[in-house]
């Protein structure tokens, strides 16, 4: 039995699947899980719907997300290695679930966001992902 080809990100349900799967990976990651769970003490029930809105706004222009994500990250003890792992897990998750132009756009936008955050945090050397 062959697996059906992946479809592209097209709906808010796709965003939910991406975000839920990504954060499952984050919560199993030895580098990122302590940042999210021990230091930031993320309330996942509250955080995940915000991430659905964020990625829906980024990828589909839904304008559902209202907030400023950068200030919340500024106080965390994160380094370039954390961003590198975050991008690797995000890219892996997209590739596990989706294929197509919006999936490619999601990976590019995630890399851009990570690069901008690093620049603002003084961690910038060279971009993590070159276009």
């Amino acid at each position: 039995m062959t697996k059906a080809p992946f479809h592209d990100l097209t709906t808010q349900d796709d965003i939910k699947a991406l975000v839920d799967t990504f954060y499952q990976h984050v919560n199993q990651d030895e580098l990122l899980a302590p940042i999210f769970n021990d230091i930031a003490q993320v309330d996942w029930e509250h955080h995940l719907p915000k991430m659905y809105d964020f990625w829906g706004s980024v990828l589909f222009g839904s304008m559902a997300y209202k907030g400023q994500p950068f200030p919340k990250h500024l106080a965390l003890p994160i380094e370039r290695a954390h961003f590198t792992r975050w991008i690797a897990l995000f890219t892996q998750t997209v590739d596990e679930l989706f294929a197509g132009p919006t999936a490619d756009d999601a990976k590019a936008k995630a890399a851009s966001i990570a690069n901008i955050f690093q620049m603002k945090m003084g961690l910038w050397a060279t971009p993590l992902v070159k276009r």
Side-chain angles (χ1 to χ4, degrees):
M1 180 174 177
T2 58
K3 189 174 184 178
F6 295 126
H7 69 276
D8 202 2
L9 281 152
T10 57
T11 68
Q12 197 62 27
D13 284 340
D14 291 339
I15 295 290
K16 186 178 184 310
L18 170 62
V19 168
D20 288 347
T21 304
F22 171 66
Y23 282 110
Q24 287 171 5
H25 292 314
V26 165
N27 277 306
Q28 295 171 3
D29 186 81
E30 64 185 30
L31 181 63
L32 297 179
I35 298 294
F36 282 84
N37 296 310
D38 300 335
I39 297 169
Q41 297 182 344
V42 171
D43 173 354
W44 293 105
E45 189 175 327
H46 183 72
H47 184 67
L48 291 174
K50 285 185 177 190
M51 293 299 92
Y52 307 149
D53 288 346
F54 176 80
W55 284 105
S57 295
V58 168
L59 296 174
F60 302 147
S62 71
M63 305 301 286
Y65 180 76
K66 307 289 184 223
Q68 297 180 343
F70 177 72
K72 295 173 181 132
H73 294 81
L74 188 57
L76 297 173
I78 50 181
E79 300 173 356
R80 197 162 169 79
H82 296 96
F83 285 100
T84 300
R85 182 76 54 86
W86 186 90
I87 287 295
L89 287 178
F90 190 88
T91 299
Q92 170 191 325
T93 304
V94 172
D95 289 343
E96 284 174 9
L97 300 173
F98 303 101
T102 306
D104 292 340
D105 192 36
K107 294 183 286 188
K109 286 184 177 177
S112 178
I113 290 165
N115 288 332
I116 289 167
F117 276 29
Q118 287 181 95
M119 184 179 66
K120 287 183 171 186
M121 295 173 84
L123 301 173
W124 187 264
T126 58
L128 288 175
V129 177
K130 295 179 183 174
R131 293 185 178 187

